[in-house]
Amino acid sequence: MGKNKEVVKTEHKKDSLKLEETSGKAKSDNHLEEDYIKAYQNRLAAHMDELKWLYYELYRSNEQSFNYFLFLLDKYAKERDPELRALDQERMKNPRWFKGNDLLGVLMYTNCLAGDLKGVEQKIPYLKECGFNYLHLMPILESPKEKSDGGYAVSNFQKVQPELGTMKDLKSLSTSCHKEGISVCLDFVMNHCSEDHEWAVRARNGEKEFQDRFFMFNDWGLPNEFERTVPQVFPESAPGNFSYCEEAKKVVMTTFYPYQWDLNYGNPTVLNDMLENMLFLCNQGADVFRLDAVPYIWKKLGTNCRNLPEVHTLVRIFRMAMEIVAPGVLLLGEVVMEPQKVVPYFGSLEKPQCHMLYNVTTMASTWHTVATQDTRLMQHQLGQVFALPKDMVFLNYLRCHDDIGWGLDYAFLEQFSITEIPHKAFLNAYFRGFTEDSDARGELYNDDPVRGDARLCGTTASLCGLEAAAYEKDERKIKEALQLDLMLHAFLLSQSGIPVLYSGDEIGQENDYSYHEDDIKKVDSRYLHRGNFPWEKAEKRKKKGSIEEKLFTGLKKLEDLRRKHKAFSTMADTWIVDTKNIHVLAFGRYYEGEKILCFYNFARSEQVAYVSEVEDYVDLLNGKPCKARDLSLPAHGFLWLKTSFV
């Protein structure tokens, strides 16, 4: 039996409405796409003159390579997901989104925290409970297991290490993180790739096109000339800057380790292909790229091959590429050098380079201050940082995946009769617990007895004495170690910039000595602080009175105070406060009518900060009113005092 006319008319009307809705949505989508392409083209046009000038200067007006560079920008801009485009737009409207007092980071190894990327995604609730909204995943790209340098010898820049998951898993994790307001940081190894990378394999097989992507020489003549002026990075474990490749019968530049082949950015193909790798990862949802070993990426005979002008040109090109394709994505420079060499990587206000840089010198100076109980170097160091423009954002940390190198300002320390080699020996002895007044537990890394040099490894908790105190079950020592740990984190959280905790520090994770039993890991003492996350220990954060609960709760309180008070913003005015006591560090912060004074006693005994501030203050830690006059602080005690002018 056929449908009656009224039913047919009604169904036809519904179909017409659906067609109109579909057509309207298509027009709307097309309109949005047109708007996006126009905005992208405007960004490209704004940078085109400088981009072309810099590219042509580096590569002798190589038009073909530059056109391919532009093709890559166009390709990845158009392939960017709507969700990522929306995030770009949101951040462009608020370009200071990473310069406030809201971001709190965590640095972790995927396998250590949760096995793989899917596991990390399942742990997002824990990360949120900790207050983390910036997730730095240590190297996750494919690299050989036995020759990876912790993942920094990449064999495929567009493939995740199989046991950690897939690119689909990375995309899923970043999407879930974005929904929870968490930014994702990935390492981008710029200077080198693995000897197992396709480029290196084809170079070993004699293909000149791929040999030109590296520094390969027929004999040791030029390499020996380089060695005259280029320092060694690891003189003990990987001496020299070159290695002989038996298969190719050539000498290869390998600044770090023999299995890490330095890329030749003098070849525009290298720049273009590495840019493509970065843009590919960008479109998987990365919000921040940590540019690994960036000072080393340009080589020139007769120089030290560090911080050359061309390095800054390359970083500027990468910065503009990001601003064109993914303007919400940040570049974080890893520049492990003295302040005068670090700051240039910010670029200028008109021509910026990195959005953020690691505050390496403050980190090392912090541990020096713990051992010496003398804050004068730290005051000097912070004074230099405070004098910088507020747009220069530092990423601050106490510990990370790497060792602690004692690259201190020895020219400054000499006025106190502190000289480099004996002082490094003292610091390494102190943080291994080899002095009478130390309960720290650490191990040496890359000990060089010829130069009297060595670096140090250990978790924050173990270096603060928690490991030794807990082992001895000494309640007094446990209390003292917890106090030091919390004081150092308070200092971290009160600095301008983005504070980042090493995963496990929130619950006092201790050293993992099991790496000594692993044939692959035992040659690298940095695995001492790269142990698996102790989830059974994390559960104790819920047990009232436990070490984990005291530390976790104490840190959360400090994090909440930091987010609540605008004077902790990166944009705040900062200055050193003279306490007339070398054991007590103090500085002030002021922003939009709010003033906060921070005091830190680095001594292992009670000390007085001899100050005389006129305003009335509130102790942020207990909410009680107080005066900022001749303040008494217990051993490793600290104070945050606030007053308001509005």
Side-chain angles (χ1 to χ4, degrees):
M1 184 175 178
K3 297 179 182 178
N4 64 47
K5 292 182 179 180
E6 291 303 318
V7 171
V8 172
K9 284 181 180 179
T10 301
E11 290 182 350
H12 178 72
K13 187 175 182 180
K14 288 180 180 178
D15 290 341
S16 297
L17 286 172
K18 285 182 181 178
L19 185 60
E20 287 177 15
E21 288 174 6
T22 304
S23 177
K25 186 177 185 302
K27 288 179 181 178
S28 176
D29 289 345
N30 288 337
H31 181 68
L32 289 173
E33 182 68 16
E34 289 171 4
D35 286 347
Y36 173 77
I37 296 300
K38 184 177 180 180
Y40 151 71
Q41 290 173 341
N42 287 339
R43 295 195 298 269
L44 175 61
H47 287 300
M48 178 60 85
D49 287 345
E50 185 186 357
L51 259 182
K52 187 172 183 179
W53 187 83
L54 292 177
Y55 199 100
Y56 274 39
E57 181 185 43
L58 273 182
Y59 301 120
R60 301 177 182 83
S61 302
N62 189 325
E63 184 177 5
Q64 182 178 358
S65 294
F66 183 65
N67 285 338
Y68 186 69
F69 177 93
L70 296 179
F71 164 77
L72 292 174
L73 299 184
D74 192 69
K75 175 182 187 309
Y76 285 94
K78 291 176 178 175
E79 290 179 358
R80 197 151 170 79
D81 286 352
E83 294 79 9
L84 296 178
R85 294 179 182 184
L87 196 54
D88 289 335
Q89 289 293 326
E90 181 183 326
R91 290 171 175 171
M92 280 192 292
K93 290 176 183 177
N94 178 24
R96 290 183 174 180
W97 67 273
F98 61 99
K99 298 180 180 180
N101 55 316
D102 181 62
L103 283 181
L104 176 66
V106 61
L107 169 71
M108 68 174 62
Y109 282 94
T110 297
N111 60 316
C112 290
L113 183 85
D116 56 21
L117 292 171
K118 288 181 179 178
V120 174
E121 187 170 354
Q122 292 170 0
K123 297 299 183 182
I124 287 178
Y126 173 76
L127 300 179
K128 291 211 34 137
E129 181 189 345
C130 294
F132 300 133
N133 54 8
Y134 174 108
L135 171 62
H136 181 173
L137 297 169
M138 293 302 296
I140 60 171
L141 300 180
E142 186 180 73
S143 61
K145 288 184 179 180
E146 295 187 7
K147 296 180 179 180
S148 72
D149 186 27
Y152 288 99
V154 180
S155 56
N156 190 328
F157 286 92
Q158 296 191 21
K159 184 179 179 182
V160 171
Q161 187 73 9
E163 60 263 32
L164 299 182
T166 65
M167 277 295 163
K168 183 179 179 181
D169 296 332
L170 175 60
K171 180 74 172 176
S172 176
L173 172 59
S174 65
T175 299
S176 295
C177 282
H178 292 155
K179 289 178 180 177
E180 297 295 338
I182 300 173
S183 299
V184 178
C185 174
L186 298 180
D187 280 84
F188 190 73
V189 184
M190 294 191 71
N191 179 71
H192 47 260
C193 68
S194 165
E195 64 180 358
D196 287 353
H197 192 286
E198 180 192 1
W199 302 345
V201 172
R202 297 181 71 169
R204 284 203 304 274
N205 290 337
E207 294 186 52
K208 187 175 186 309
E209 175 191 347
F210 290 91
Q211 291 183 349
D212 289 344
R213 297 181 181 218
F214 304 97
F215 296 91
M216 303 186 76
F217 304 92
N218 293 325
D219 55 44
W220 285 93
L222 281 175
N224 287 338
E225 287 299 312
F226 271 103
E227 294 285 17
R228 293 176 184 272
T229 57
V230 181
Q232 301 178 69
V233 177
F234 302 128
E236 282 299 301
S237 56
N241 291 283
F242 292 86
S243 304
Y244 186 71
C245 177
E246 182 64 37
E247 293 152 280
K249 307 297 182 187
K250 289 182 181 289
V251 181
V252 185
M253 180 173 270
T254 55
T255 298
F256 289 86
Y257 287 102
Y259 51 80
Q260 293 171 319
W261 287 21
D262 288 48
L263 294 167
N264 180 10
Y265 280 88
N267 181 346
T269 302
V270 171
L271 170 62
N272 288 346
D273 285 356
M274 290 300 283
L275 173 69
E276 180 168 22
N277 288 328
M278 182 182 283
L279 294 177
F280 172 82
L281 293 170
C282 211
N283 282 359
Q284 308 310 308
D287 302 283
V288 182
F289 286 105
R290 174 188 177 274
L291 305 182
D292 179 71
V294 66
Y296 300 81
I297 61 176
W298 192 271
K299 313 298 193 296
K300 186 177 181 180
L301 189 64
T303 73
N304 65 359
C305 295
R306 311 279 198 275
N307 306 301
L308 298 180
E310 292 86 354
V311 171
H312 294 282
T313 297
L314 286 167
V315 176
R316 175 64 182 150
I317 288 174
F318 275 95
R319 170 66 179 261
M320 287 190 285
M322 288 299 104
E323 290 183 355
I324 292 166
V325 176
V329 173
L330 307 178
L331 299 182
L332 166 63
E334 188 229 9
V335 187
V336 186
M337 295 176 178
E338 54 269 34
Q340 61 267 31
K341 292 179 181 176
V342 171
V343 170
Y345 285 87
F346 281 118
S348 65
L349 190 61
E350 297 78 18
K351 298 179 179 180
Q353 296 176 32
C354 292
H355 297 83
M356 306 180 294
L357 295 173
Y358 279 97
N359 196 349
V360 179
T361 45
T362 296
M363 180 277 296
S365 297
T366 299
W367 293 105
H368 151 91
T369 308
V370 170
T372 63
Q373 306 178 72
D374 187 330
T375 67
R376 287 175 292 188
L377 174 63
M378 183 60 76
Q379 290 183 51
H380 173 68
Q381 169 71 35
L382 289 179
Q384 293 178 317
V385 175
F386 291 168
L388 297 174
K390 297 180 185 63
D391 276 335
M392 295 184 176
V393 179
F394 283 101
L395 190 144
N396 304 304
Y397 61 106
L398 293 176
R399 290 297 295 116
C400 68
H401 70 290
D402 223 338
D403 54 274
I404 301 174
W406 301 116
L408 306 175
D409 189 341
Y410 291 101
F412 176 82
L413 288 172
E414 279 179 5
Q415 64 184 300
F416 311 115
S417 300
I418 295 175
T419 53
E420 183 171 354
I421 293 177
H423 189 57
K424 286 181 176 179
F426 160 71
L427 292 172
N428 285 324
Y430 181 88
F431 286 111
R432 284 183 291 163
F434 289 0
T435 63
E436 289 184 6
D437 55 351
S438 172
D439 286 309
R441 296 293 182 266
E443 291 183 356
L444 296 183
Y445 174 69
N446 266 358
D447 187 15
D448 182 0
V450 176
R451 296 192 306 165
D453 197 8
R455 309 179 195 186
L456 188 92
C457 300
T459 68
T460 299
S462 291
L463 295 180
C464 285
L466 262 176
E467 176 187 324
Y471 177 80
E472 295 174 16
K473 298 181 180 178
D474 187 319
E475 290 300 324
R476 178 185 61 82
K477 286 187 176 182
I478 289 174
K479 183 178 179 181
E480 291 173 351
L482 274 171
Q483 181 61 43
L484 174 58
D485 198 315
L486 283 169
M487 187 268 281
L488 292 180
H489 278 98
F491 174 53
L492 169 70
L493 290 164
S494 61
Q495 295 174 49
S496 293
I498 302 173
V500 175
L501 274 64
Y502 191 46
S503 177
D505 278 3
E506 72 277 10
I507 54 168
Q509 182 170 350
E510 299 168 359
N511 292 336
D512 179 5
Y513 298 96
S514 67
Y515 84 94
H516 288 290
E517 309 303 319
D518 188 306
D519 288 338
I520 295 176
K521 295 178 179 179
K522 66 183 180 182
V523 297
D524 189 340
S525 57
R526 291 175 297 182
Y527 283 102
L528 179 70
H529 52 259
R530 296 176 180 175
N532 289 334
F533 188 87
W535 284 105
E536 71 287 348
K537 187 177 178 68
E539 280 301 307
K540 295 179 183 178
R541 75 189 186 279
K542 303 172 184 177
K543 183 181 178 181
K544 188 69 175 176
S546 67
I547 292 174
E548 294 78 10
E549 185 271 335
K550 289 178 180 177
L551 187 54
F552 190 86
T553 303
L555 285 174
K556 277 291 292 177
K557 180 178 180 179
L558 295 173
E559 294 165 12
D560 292 343
L561 287 171
R562 181 179 185 271
R563 286 193 168 110
K564 181 179 178 181
H565 295 284
K566 54 191 174 185
F568 287 116
S569 167
T570 296
M571 304 308 294
D573 292 323
T574 49
W575 65 95
I576 297 291
V577 174
D578 183 10
T579 65
K580 298 178 175 60
N581 184 337
I582 64 170
H583 301 301
V584 182
L585 172 71
F587 53 85
R589 308 186 58 84
Y590 177 85
Y591 188 61
E592 294 184 348
E594 185 177 81
K595 176 182 175 183
I596 291 178
L597 299 180
C598 305
F599 296 86
Y600 303 97
N601 177 16
F602 278 84
R604 293 183 282 277
S605 60
E606 184 177 359
Q607 297 291 322
V608 175
Y610 296 101
V611 294
S612 183
E613 299 285 328
V614 297
E615 303 94 356
D616 291 327
Y617 288 85
V618 172
D619 185 334
L620 289 181
L621 300 176
N622 60 27
K624 296 179 180 179
C626 64
K627 300 287 186 182
R629 296 174 188 169
D630 296 344
L631 299 165
S632 179
L633 290 89
H636 294 145
F638 63 95
L639 288 170
W640 285 355
L641 307 183
K642 187 202 83 164
T643 190
S644 179
F645 297 93
V646 291

